[in-house]
Amino acid sequence: MNEHGGDLLVAGGEVVSTTGVDRADVLIRGGRVTAVRAAVDAPADVIRLDATGKLVFPGLIDPQVHLREPGLTHKEDLASGTLAAVAGGVTSIMEMPNTKPPTIDPERLAEKLGLARGRAWCDHAFFLGATPDNAEQLGEWEQAAGCAGVKIFMGSSTGSLLVAEDDQIERVLRSGSRRVAVHSEDEPRLKERYAGVEVGSHPRIHPDVRDVEAALKATKRLLALVERTRRPVHVLHVSTAEEIALIRERDLGELVTAEVTPNHLFMTAPDCYEEHGSLAQMNPPVRTARHRDALREALADGTLTCIGSDHAPHTLEEKARPYPQSPSGIPGVQTILPLLLTAVRDGWLSLADVVRVTSDGPRRAYSIGGKGALDAGLDGDLVIVDPSVTEPLQLDWLRSRAAYSPYVGRELAGWPVTTVLRGNVVYDAHTTRGTPDGRPLRFA
Ligand code: DOR
């Protein structure tokens, strides 16, 4: 439970929205925003948080996290992963289906929702994994409460989920109507490229193994299928300049939305592999500065509408296996905000852009109800940020069970201090408050 029943006044902060920054108070009653303006009069019994000198953002929505429960809880679980989320100002997550067993039917989805009840620190929804066998049922199943939609792995990554052939993908796209999230790497190309890799190679070859062509080929195939089926898709973790050019050129409007991970924006090959080895190994890989620059530009100009962390924890022991047996994935749900605020300091993103890609973008892409902005009537989810603190990321700040980050030691400018979920403080000054009360997301 919580201390103050979803009634809260956040006073004197600079409230950030997609249109800019305004000095305003935010009043939340019964968990919902009731007023956002200067000098709000709040009843005396409403708890008041002083946000003078601070920025107030809508709580972040992270549309791509892997929280590993059930089956892989030595890496992470719903409690530890959502704790990392709220510690980073993320108040809603959408979780991926490559758990053990994978989330491929309504029973598995219900199991995850049950596991999250009373343990998840933030609101949440779970993706159903597409398989060649469940394609025809997905249209009905994706309507279940707490379902984030359907996820397709076109190329193999962590776990066994795979829908590699065009006719199989088309069957999935023709079953249902919600936006389908897609991991877009070409399976035949990956197979061919992995065949020549010697165990014990340096992970610096990862972007050559899972190369530009593997990503581009799959995204080309996907967009052709979207043109044919008219089913909306969301291209996850876009990693190449070539895919950006393709998405712009095909210009499929609302049918195709796309996201990028902080890793593809804040690291470059080959230095990230020289410095961090397999700790920088993820799928699709972090690539050269040419790709990073194209992705930054696409994020700033709106071609990419969302940031998804692709939080993908593994243990350090697992990561230490010789490449390519070292698993791909980087934890990151907690570090989105300080990284993006550093981009604001460095001048390639605005504060309004940060809201656009961390809450408004995910809300629109997936039609999430009641979230995505600090507007009257929406959930009172927010994060108070201290923009004046510039300090190196410390390992002991991280709350994920995966106790590492490639950003440890990096100077980041702007840090979350207090996270509020539906009017209740859930994280403040490095400590949880109350008990976990995350609830399933609703979709329009
Ligand atoms: O690097 C990755 N790790 N990419 C994925 O697609 C899956 C993820 C994981 O679950 O570890």
Side-chain angles (χ1 to χ4, degrees), residues 308-343:
S309 71
D310 194 10
H311 178 79
H314 299 284
T315 66
L316 283 168
E317 292 72 32
E318 291 163 339
K319 279 295 212 179
R321 289 178 196 148
Y323 182 85
Q325 293 162 356
S326 43
S328 291
I330 304 173
V333 69
Q334 195 179 337
T335 44
I336 300 170
L337 201 42
L339 286 168
L340 292 184
L341 292 169
T342 305

Side-chain angles (χ1 to χ4, degrees), residues 64 66 68 75 96 98 151 153 155-159 183 185 206 210 237 281-284 310-314 319 327-330:
Q64 193 189 176
H66 302 264
R68 309 302 194 199
K75 298 176 195 271
M96 288 297 162
N98 57 336
K151 158 87 179 271
F153 281 92
S156 308
S157 191
T158 302
H183 180 124
E185 286 184 288
H206 195 52
R210 303 181 82 109
H237 39 45
Q281 177 195 331
M282 69 168 295
N283 305 333
D310 194 10
H311 178 79
H314 299 284
K319 279 295 212 179
S328 291
I330 304 173

Side-chain angles (χ1 to χ4, degrees), residues 250-268:
R250 288 288 175 93
D251 195 14
L252 288 165
E254 291 295 304
L255 278 177
V256 176
T257 52
E259 83 185 32
V260 62
T261 79
N263 302 318
H264 294 97
L265 298 170
F266 293 95
M267 288 196 282
T268 48

